[in-house]
Short mmCIF file of all heavy atoms in Angstrom, two decimals:
data_model
loop_
_atom_site.label_atom_id
_atom_site.label_comp_id
_atom_site.label_asym_id
_atom_site.label_seq_id
_atom_site.Cartn_x
_atom_site.Cartn_y
_atom_site.Cartn_z
N LEU A 25 0.84 -1.18 -0.02
CA LEU A 25 0.02 0.01 -0.01
C LEU A 25 0.88 1.24 -0.02
O LEU A 25 1.54 1.52 0.99
CB LEU A 25 -0.94 0.00 1.19
CG LEU A 25 -1.94 1.16 1.24
CD1 LEU A 25 -2.98 1.00 0.13
CD2 LEU A 25 -2.62 1.25 2.60
N GLN A 26 0.90 1.95 -1.11
CA GLN A 26 1.66 3.17 -1.22
C GLN A 26 0.76 4.30 -0.78
O GLN A 26 -0.32 4.50 -1.36
CB GLN A 26 2.13 3.40 -2.65
CG GLN A 26 2.90 4.70 -2.83
CD GLN A 26 4.22 4.72 -2.09
OE1 GLN A 26 4.99 3.79 -2.15
NE2 GLN A 26 4.47 5.81 -1.37
N MET A 27 1.14 5.04 0.24
CA MET A 27 0.33 6.10 0.79
C MET A 27 1.06 7.42 0.62
O MET A 27 2.16 7.64 1.15
CB MET A 27 0.06 5.88 2.28
CG MET A 27 -0.58 4.50 2.55
SD MET A 27 -1.04 4.32 4.30
CE MET A 27 0.58 4.29 5.05
N ASN A 28 0.46 8.32 -0.14
CA ASN A 28 0.99 9.64 -0.37
C ASN A 28 0.07 10.72 0.16
O ASN A 28 -1.11 10.46 0.39
CB ASN A 28 1.24 9.86 -1.87
CG ASN A 28 2.21 8.88 -2.50
OD1 ASN A 28 3.21 8.50 -1.89
ND2 ASN A 28 1.89 8.42 -3.72
N SER A 29 0.60 11.92 0.28
CA SER A 29 -0.18 13.05 0.76
C SER A 29 -0.97 12.71 2.02
O SER A 29 -2.16 12.97 2.10
CB SER A 29 -1.11 13.54 -0.34
OG SER A 29 -0.40 13.92 -1.50
N LEU A 30 -0.28 12.12 2.96
CA LEU A 30 -0.96 11.66 4.18
C LEU A 30 -1.54 12.79 4.99
O LEU A 30 -0.96 13.87 5.08
CB LEU A 30 0.02 10.84 5.02
CG LEU A 30 0.28 9.41 4.49
CD1 LEU A 30 1.57 8.85 5.09
CD2 LEU A 30 -0.90 8.51 4.85
N LYS A 31 -2.69 12.51 5.58
CA LYS A 31 -3.41 13.45 6.39
C LYS A 31 -3.55 12.93 7.82
O LYS A 31 -3.50 11.74 8.04
CB LYS A 31 -4.81 13.71 5.83
CG LYS A 31 -4.82 14.17 4.38
CD LYS A 31 -6.27 14.26 3.88
CE LYS A 31 -6.30 14.72 2.43
NZ LYS A 31 -7.69 14.79 1.91
N PRO A 32 -3.72 13.83 8.79
CA PRO A 32 -3.92 13.34 10.16
C PRO A 32 -5.05 12.33 10.31
O PRO A 32 -4.92 11.40 11.12
CB PRO A 32 -4.23 14.62 10.93
CG PRO A 32 -3.49 15.65 10.19
CD PRO A 32 -3.61 15.30 8.75
N GLU A 33 -6.09 12.46 9.53
CA GLU A 33 -7.22 11.53 9.61
C GLU A 33 -6.90 10.15 9.07
O GLU A 33 -7.68 9.24 9.17
CB GLU A 33 -8.47 12.11 8.90
CG GLU A 33 -8.19 12.58 7.49
CD GLU A 33 -7.96 14.09 7.43
OE1 GLU A 33 -7.25 14.62 8.25
OE2 GLU A 33 -8.56 14.70 6.48
N ASP A 34 -5.72 9.99 8.46
CA ASP A 34 -5.27 8.65 8.03
C ASP A 34 -4.65 7.87 9.19
O ASP A 34 -4.34 6.68 9.01
CB ASP A 34 -4.23 8.77 6.91
CG ASP A 34 -4.80 9.38 5.64
OD1 ASP A 34 -5.94 9.00 5.27
OD2 ASP A 34 -4.10 10.18 5.01
N THR A 35 -4.47 8.53 10.31
CA THR A 35 -3.90 7.82 11.47
C THR A 35 -4.79 6.68 11.88
O THR A 35 -5.96 6.85 12.15
CB THR A 35 -3.73 8.81 12.64
OG1 THR A 35 -2.79 9.83 12.29
CG2 THR A 35 -3.21 8.11 13.88
N ALA A 36 -4.18 5.51 11.97
CA ALA A 36 -4.92 4.29 12.29
C ALA A 36 -3.97 3.11 12.36
O ALA A 36 -2.79 3.22 11.95
CB ALA A 36 -6.04 3.99 11.24
N VAL A 37 -4.45 1.98 12.83
CA VAL A 37 -3.76 0.76 12.68
C VAL A 37 -4.20 0.16 11.34
O VAL A 37 -5.39 -0.02 11.11
CB VAL A 37 -4.05 -0.23 13.83
CG1 VAL A 37 -3.33 -1.56 13.58
CG2 VAL A 37 -3.58 0.36 15.15
N TYR A 38 -3.25 -0.21 10.53
CA TYR A 38 -3.50 -0.73 9.20
C TYR A 38 -3.31 -2.26 9.22
O TYR A 38 -2.27 -2.72 9.65
CB TYR A 38 -2.64 -0.10 8.15
CG TYR A 38 -3.10 1.30 7.79
CD1 TYR A 38 -2.94 2.36 8.68
CD2 TYR A 38 -3.68 1.59 6.55
CE1 TYR A 38 -3.39 3.65 8.38
CE2 TYR A 38 -4.13 2.85 6.23
CZ TYR A 38 -3.98 3.88 7.16
OH TYR A 38 -4.36 5.14 6.81
N TYR A 39 -4.31 -2.96 8.71
CA TYR A 39 -4.29 -4.42 8.70
C TYR A 39 -4.28 -4.98 7.31
O TYR A 39 -5.06 -4.54 6.45
CB TYR A 39 -5.51 -4.98 9.45
CG TYR A 39 -5.55 -4.62 10.92
CD1 TYR A 39 -6.23 -3.48 11.36
CD2 TYR A 39 -4.99 -5.48 11.87
CE1 TYR A 39 -6.25 -3.16 12.71
CE2 TYR A 39 -5.05 -5.16 13.19
CZ TYR A 39 -5.68 -3.99 13.62
OH TYR A 39 -5.77 -3.69 14.95
N CYS A 40 -3.45 -5.97 7.08
CA CYS A 40 -3.43 -6.70 5.83
C CYS A 40 -4.45 -7.86 5.97
O CYS A 40 -4.59 -8.49 6.98
CB CYS A 40 -2.01 -7.23 5.60
SG CYS A 40 -1.86 -8.27 4.14
N ASN A 41 -5.11 -8.12 4.85
CA ASN A 41 -6.08 -9.21 4.80
C ASN A 41 -5.89 -9.99 3.49
O ASN A 41 -5.63 -9.37 2.45
CB ASN A 41 -7.50 -8.65 4.87
CG ASN A 41 -8.57 -9.68 4.63
OD1 ASN A 41 -9.20 -9.70 3.59
ND2 ASN A 41 -8.79 -10.53 5.61
N ALA A 42 -6.06 -11.25 3.55
CA ALA A 42 -5.92 -12.12 2.38
C ALA A 42 -6.79 -13.34 2.47
O ALA A 42 -6.94 -13.95 3.51
CB ALA A 42 -4.44 -12.54 2.18
N ASP A 43 -7.37 -13.68 1.34
CA ASP A 43 -8.15 -14.90 1.15
C ASP A 43 -7.17 -15.92 0.58
O ASP A 43 -6.80 -15.87 -0.59
CB ASP A 43 -9.30 -14.64 0.20
CG ASP A 43 -10.14 -15.86 -0.09
OD1 ASP A 43 -9.96 -16.90 0.58
OD2 ASP A 43 -10.99 -15.80 -1.00
N VAL A 44 -6.77 -16.87 1.40
CA VAL A 44 -5.66 -17.79 1.08
C VAL A 44 -6.13 -19.19 0.95
O VAL A 44 -6.91 -19.67 1.79
CB VAL A 44 -4.54 -17.69 2.15
CG1 VAL A 44 -3.39 -18.63 1.82
CG2 VAL A 44 -4.05 -16.24 2.27
N ILE A 45 -5.60 -19.89 -0.04
CA ILE A 45 -5.77 -21.33 -0.14
C ILE A 45 -4.42 -21.95 0.27
O ILE A 45 -3.44 -21.79 -0.45
CB ILE A 45 -6.16 -21.79 -1.53
CG1 ILE A 45 -7.52 -21.14 -1.94
CG2 ILE A 45 -6.24 -23.30 -1.60
CD1 ILE A 45 -7.90 -21.42 -3.36
N GLY A 46 -4.38 -22.58 1.40
CA GLY A 46 -3.20 -23.22 1.89
C GLY A 46 -3.17 -24.70 1.54
O GLY A 46 -4.20 -25.36 1.49
N PHE A 47 -1.97 -25.21 1.30
CA PHE A 47 -1.83 -26.62 0.94
C PHE A 47 -2.30 -27.55 2.05
O PHE A 47 -2.95 -28.56 1.80
CB PHE A 47 -0.35 -26.91 0.60
CG PHE A 47 -0.09 -28.31 0.19
CD1 PHE A 47 -0.47 -28.79 -1.06
CD2 PHE A 47 0.49 -29.22 1.06
CE1 PHE A 47 -0.25 -30.08 -1.44
CE2 PHE A 47 0.73 -30.51 0.70
CZ PHE A 47 0.36 -30.97 -0.56
N ARG A 48 -2.00 -27.18 3.27
CA ARG A 48 -2.38 -27.98 4.43
C ARG A 48 -3.65 -27.49 5.10
O ARG A 48 -4.44 -28.30 5.59
CB ARG A 48 -1.25 -28.01 5.45
CG ARG A 48 0.07 -28.61 4.95
CD ARG A 48 1.13 -28.47 6.00
NE ARG A 48 0.82 -29.21 7.19
CZ ARG A 48 1.42 -29.06 8.36
NH1 ARG A 48 2.36 -28.13 8.50
NH2 ARG A 48 1.07 -29.77 9.39
N ASP A 49 -3.86 -26.21 5.13
CA ASP A 49 -4.93 -25.60 5.88
C ASP A 49 -6.20 -25.35 5.12
O ASP A 49 -7.25 -25.05 5.68
CB ASP A 49 -4.49 -24.31 6.54
CG ASP A 49 -3.33 -24.50 7.48
OD1 ASP A 49 -3.22 -25.55 8.08
OD2 ASP A 49 -2.52 -23.54 7.62
N GLY A 50 -6.15 -25.51 3.79
CA GLY A 50 -7.32 -25.22 2.98
C GLY A 50 -7.55 -23.71 2.87
O GLY A 50 -6.67 -22.90 3.20
N ARG A 51 -8.75 -23.35 2.51
CA ARG A 51 -9.08 -21.96 2.32
C ARG A 51 -9.35 -21.26 3.64
O ARG A 51 -10.06 -21.81 4.50
CB ARG A 51 -10.28 -21.82 1.40
CG ARG A 51 -10.58 -20.38 0.99
CD ARG A 51 -11.66 -20.35 -0.07
NE ARG A 51 -11.89 -18.96 -0.52
CZ ARG A 51 -12.71 -18.64 -1.49
NH1 ARG A 51 -13.43 -19.58 -2.11
NH2 ARG A 51 -12.88 -17.36 -1.85
#
């Protein structure tokens, strides 16, 4: 995530999310 022109209201904890198909764990 490239973030430019950042503003104070962008302040937060940012979380990555992914829909993953694992070989052992499945989806």
Side-chain angles (χ1 to χ4, degrees):
L25 185 68
Q26 179 66 48
M27 305 185 294
N28 299 321
S29 301
L30 283 161
K31 304 175 180 179
E33 51 262 44
D34 295 319
T35 296
V37 177
Y38 284 71
Y39 296 91
C40 176
N41 173 254
D43 178 12
V44 179
I45 300 174
F47 180 76
R48 299 175 64 196
D49 298 330
R51 187 172 184 177

